[in-house]
Structures are given as structure tokens and as C-alpha cells.
Amino acid sequence: MTTIAIPQADPARSYRAHAGEIDAALTRVLRRGRYVLGEEVESFEREFAAWIGTRFAVGVGSGTDALAIALRAAGVGEGDEVVTVSHTATATIAAIEMAGAVPVLVDVDWMTMTIGADEIDAVIGPRTRAVVPVHLYGQPAAMDALCDMARSRGLVIVEDACQAHGGEILGRKVGAIGVAGAFSFYPTKNLGAFGDGGAITSDDESLAAAARRLRQYGWDAERSARVAGVNSRLDELQAAALRVKLPHLSDALTRRRAIARRYSQALQGLGIVLPEEAAGTRHAFHLYVVRTEERAHLADELARRGVGTAIHYAVAAHQQPAYAARLRHGPLAMTDRVVAQVLSLPLYPELDDAEVERVIEAVIASVRSASAAFR
Ligand SMILES: *Cc1c(COP(=O)(O)O)cnc(C)c1O
């Protein structure tokens, strides 16, 4: 077996890039002795809200919890229908069900691989309460069309921005456009912790307050629970580490985008479909995802050349055994096509220029060596 010299993701590199500062921050928390909901979480919530451009951020235990709690805080509950895509992390679907709601799936747009705004009308019914657009791979979904529709239909929009820290539409960051945004700090995400973590962003004060109650047993300031809650808190150690990394996030995004631009220049004309940035948007390039019907071949050839790849995601929600039988959905022809072709190349800010060129050479050589198959 060849060793993978350049893995598709490598979160340890982001630790090494700031190891001294991170160690100091963690030690500070350990010595202080307050480990849950203390000053690190409070400060991080303020700093992250400022970075996204919302009035509030609420730290929770994961991106999945952020979505579920944001939906509940936005008034979505038992029996309500929530429209989203099948081409996403299973987490999106799990979160909608955790909120007590019923996911209804629609197809994606071929170019952006995000929710097809035109598909939504056909599945809206009397129980539809919300839409969860997923800014998949860091590409912002078509929020303009969605916001217009949401206004005219009285629906709420909760953004799944778990892959899109720093994505923008006409200068506004995603997570600040819908009534709330949900972020994940899973280690490989654009802003990654060293374990699980998540946050809800919103300009709505009562939504943020409801999220704060829901994340801790439903308690209000007097420790009285008028709603049933859960236990989902961002912890002090993760918040302290995130506070070290947040000031570097803008530079990290610039680097992600520079690598993506270099890939897109160098990989043109090979017969594989490259990601494009939709007009008026700033792609956050959490992942650089190419498409080819010869995916298995390309992945094998790249592995032989020491370049790691991954598939996000090989099985769409409507194909997952636990969900397949009960999920309602419209036509998903584009989703089925996308799911069979997507392949993620290595992309993280710590990749150096020489590694980027090695990935490019490996992709070109892999496509050539399999050129018969690619035709
Ligand atoms: C990572 C992710 C989630 C879930 O986040 P966790 O922190 O792993 O719970 C939800 N949606 C999308 C699109 C994701 O990529």
C-alpha cells in the first residue's frame, strides 16, 4: 500500500500552526477551574458574532445541535415540515428530526450543488414551516430567491452554514442572512475545534435567548424550565482554542481560496467538472470537489501517487437505510447524478505551494493514465 503523503484533510496541521498559543489557552482554562459556560464561551460568542456580522452567537455542543436548537428556537416543532436537500451531511436531516419536524427533500442545482430554489414550490404544503439551505462545500446557496419565497410564503430560513464560515453573498456573510445560522466546529471545518462544537448566529434577540434556554435543560435565568431543553453546551476548552484560531480565520480563507483558484487554473480541460463560484457569492472553499463519472478510477490513481481524496457524500440522505423508507421528497435526479461523481481533493490552509503543485501533477497524471476511461 502506498502511503498518503498529502491527506485530503489534516486537522493536526492547524494545531501545529498555532500550538504555543493553543497550549497556553488550554492551560489557562485548566488552571482557572471553570470548565462549562464561563468567560471563554462568552467571549467567543461575542467575537464570533462580530466576525459573522450578527448581534448574537450561542455556543452549543455541535453543528447538528446548532441546527436542531436553532429550528426549535425559531418556532419549528412537532409535525412541522422543513424543506432541505438530500445532498448534504446526514446531520442536516438528523437535526430536523431532533427538532421534532419532518424533513422534505428537494433536488440540487447542478452548478452550485446547493438547494434548487425552483424545486421548493412543488413540495410546499400547509405544514411547511421552514427551509434549511445547506451552503455545501462552502458555496453559498441562492439566498435571494429563498428569502423572497420565504417572505411571500411565511416560512423561516435557518441556514446550515456548517461548511461555510466566511462564505458571502453580495458582501454579507452566510449565517447572517436567514433568521438564524448554524455552524459546526468539527476539527476539519473552516474553523475547527479539537473535538465537537457548534454555534447559532442570529440578529433576533428572542431567538438567541430561546437557544440559550434550550441548550441547557430549558432553564431560564432563574433555573426554571418553561420549555423542555437538552444539554448541548460549547465547553470552555473548545471555546478557548477557537478564540486562538478565530483571528486567523480570514487569512485561512484567503489561503483556501488561493489554493482553489490555482487548482481551477491548472485542472481545466481535463474532462473533469471543476467547482465554480456562483455570481455575487464568495465561496468559502471548505472543500474542493471535482466531478467525474470515473471517480473510483481517479481516486485509486491519486492514492497510488500519494494524494488522499474523500467523498462528501457517497450516500445521499434519501438513500440512507435509516431514512430511506420514511423521507418525503420531490424528484432527485440531479442529486443521484452528483452523488455518484463527487470527489474532494486535499484543501486546507496549511498545504504549501509545493504540495498544491504535487496534487495538480498527480491529478493530471491520473487522468492521463486513465484517459481511455475518461473519454
Ligand atoms: C459538519 C456538518 C454538520 C454537522 O456538524 P457536527 O458538528 O458534525 O454535528 C451539519 N451539516 C453539514 C452540512 C456539515 O458539514
Side-chain angles (χ1 to χ4, degrees), residues 190 245 248-257 348-350:
N190 286 7
K245 291 173 92 178
H248 303 287
L249 183 52
S250 295
D251 285 346
L253 274 163
T254 302
R255 178 69 186 152
R256 282 179 180 277
R257 289 174 51 79
Y348 31 96
E350 300 82 12

Side-chain angles (χ1 to χ4, degrees), residues 36-250:
V36 172
L37 295 188
E39 63 192 80
E40 300 293 338
V41 170
E42 264 175 44
S43 298
F44 174 72
E45 288 178 340
R46 232 180 359 256
E47 291 156 7
F48 190 64
W51 196 85
I52 293 295
T54 51
R55 291 176 64 203
F56 307 100
V58 179
V60 295
S62 69
T64 310
D65 287 354
L67 260 180
I69 292 172
L71 283 166
R72 282 193 61 193
V76 175
E78 214 60 52
D80 290 336
E81 290 179 355
V82 176
V83 180
T84 192
V85 287
S86 185
H87 181 48
T88 182
T90 310
T92 310
I93 312 304
I96 292 168
E97 292 201 340
M98 280 161 65
V102 179
V104 177
L105 310 180
V106 296
D107 216 351
V108 289
D109 167 68
W110 169 254
M111 198 271 267
T112 62
M113 294 183 272
T114 61
I115 194 163
D118 299 339
E119 313 287 326
I120 299 173
D121 251 351
V123 299
I124 288 182
R127 316 212 62 166
T128 312
R129 277 299 306 278
V131 180
V132 175
V134 182
H135 306 303
L136 200 71
Y137 310 146
Q139 170 64 64
M143 292 297 289
D144 276 10
L146 288 182
C147 289
D148 285 349
M149 173 186 315
R151 231 180 334 257
S152 67
R153 304 287 203 137
L155 308 175
V156 297
I157 295 183
V158 174
E159 299 173 69
D160 182 340
C162 287
Q163 297 191 2
H165 321 56
E168 290 180 9
I169 301 175
L170 302 174
R172 262 171 98 194
K173 286 209 173 75
V174 300
I177 302 172
V179 68
F183 289 88
S184 167
F185 306 124
Y186 182 81
T188 57
K189 300 285 163 88
N190 286 7
L191 179 62
F194 300 99
D196 281 309
I200 297 153
T201 51
S202 183
D203 280 329
D204 184 325
E205 190 163 13
S206 64
L207 187 151
R212 280 180 212 288
R213 290 191 291 271
L214 289 168
R215 77 173 164 184
Q216 183 163 245
Y217 331 128
W219 272 356
D220 62 18
E222 280 73 50
R223 301 197 162 193
S224 161
R226 284 165 218 284
V227 289
V230 296
N231 175 1
S232 179
R233 302 170 293 217
L234 182 65
D235 72 60
E236 287 285 287
L237 285 166
Q238 301 303 342
L242 290 166
R243 290 186 68 205
V244 171
K245 291 173 92 178
L246 183 59
H248 303 287
L249 183 52
S250 295

